[in-house]
Amino acid sequence: MHVIGDKSRLAFATSPYEDHDTSSALTVDIFVGGRTLTLRDNIAYVPGFTCAMEYAVRYYAKSIDWLLPDPAIDGMNLPEAHLYYYHNDRSRTCFDWGPTTDDISSFLIPYNDTIYLTYFLYSENPDHETNLPIIRGEKLHYLEFLSTIYRQWKLMQEYNTSIVGSQVIVEELIVPRSIDRHDSVVTPEESAEPRDGPESPNRPFDNG
């Protein structure tokens, strides 16, 4: 397995493309705070997953909106903020990368001058619309987050070339629901690869 990141914080574990030489799908597991978020479905269609990650990297590298404090969640705790975004504002959605991540409700939440990646799994909370879901999260330095998803996207690009035999043609693939295609005009190659930032204290939370 190719592991990028720290599983106790944020990481991806991807099966070697050598094991999938005749297929355009492979396995990608996502870890946040030591927990696996892709228990229900870790099969990724390489071209689509690569494209979705590219749009995410473009957006996070270009915009600082996701880092700015949000007056709408003033006075809320993290589970309350997650549910506020779930019901009112999907623009801060984190993992929106096709069927592989469809079981995950996740947001990047600016909280106390830092960023938390929060999530709950639909499969673990089938009654989430009527009962409070178990929401978990991890405090991350923004450069740690950017560096991890950037390196995973670059790995998926390599896989796409090796398995499918061509580069992803972005305009022919579906844009993640939470990212506006017309606002994403800066390619990752036009930005310097983010370096790993200093680690922030490991402070996961769990309202379960």
Side-chain angles (χ1 to χ4, degrees):
M1 299 293 284
H2 295 274
V3 178
I4 290 176
D6 180 345
K7 288 184 179 181
S8 69
R9 298 173 60 73
L10 171 65
F12 299 87
T14 309
S15 57
Y17 61 75
E18 294 87 351
D19 296 347
H20 305 269
D21 55 352
T22 61
S23 173
S24 59
L26 43 70
T27 62
V28 178
D29 280 307
I30 301 173
F31 300 86
V32 175
R35 292 178 177 268
T36 306
L37 275 58
T38 45
L39 292 173
R40 184 176 181 180
D41 182 4
N42 67 350
I43 303 299
Y45 173 62
V46 176
F49 195 84
T50 305
C51 176
M53 287 207 72
E54 176 171 350
Y55 273 99
V57 170
R58 287 185 184 192
Y59 173 76
Y60 294 128
K62 172 191 173 185
S63 173
I64 64 168
D65 290 348
W66 59 284
L67 293 170
L68 299 177
D70 184 358
I73 62 169
D74 282 351
M76 298 183 187
N77 60 33
L78 284 165
E80 289 170 342
H82 183 108
L83 292 175
Y84 170 82
Y85 288 130
Y86 178 81
H87 291 292
N88 299 285
D89 182 2
R90 298 296 181 93
S91 67
R92 292 182 183 269
T93 297
C94 183
F95 302 121
D96 186 15
W97 303 339
T100 313
T101 58
D102 278 353
D103 190 38
I104 309 168
S105 168
S106 62
F107 293 95
L108 288 168
I109 298 179
Y111 191 79
N112 288 346
D113 299 321
T114 189
I115 291 292
Y116 276 84
L117 198 170
T118 65
Y119 72 91
F120 74 79
L121 302 182
Y122 294 104
S123 57
E124 291 183 351
N125 300 273
D127 57 349
H128 66 276
E129 293 290 356
T130 54
N131 291 296
L132 183 67
I134 298 174
I135 298 172
R136 301 182 174 94
E138 184 72 20
K139 180 180 179 180
L140 298 171
H141 190 281
Y142 78 98
L143 287 177
E144 177 185 11
F145 171 76
L146 277 174
S147 175
T148 304
I149 67 167
Y150 180 90
R151 287 181 287 139
Q152 177 65 21
W153 167 68
K154 295 298 286 185
L155 178 66
M156 296 304 298
Q157 271 199 329
E158 294 176 13
Y159 281 15
N160 187 70
T161 302
S162 299
I163 296 173
V164 182
S166 64
Q167 292 289 332
V168 174
I169 301 174
V170 174
E171 293 298 322
E172 294 181 357
L173 297 174
I174 296 174
V175 178
R177 292 183 294 275
S178 60
I179 297 175
D180 184 344
R181 166 178 289 175
H182 301 293
D183 286 342
S184 301
V185 296
V186 179
T187 63
E189 290 86 348
E190 292 171 340
S191 301
E193 178 173 353
R195 60 179 175 81
D196 288 320
E199 289 193 354
S200 55
N202 187 9
R203 296 180 182 174
F205 74 90
D206 185 331
N207 72 331

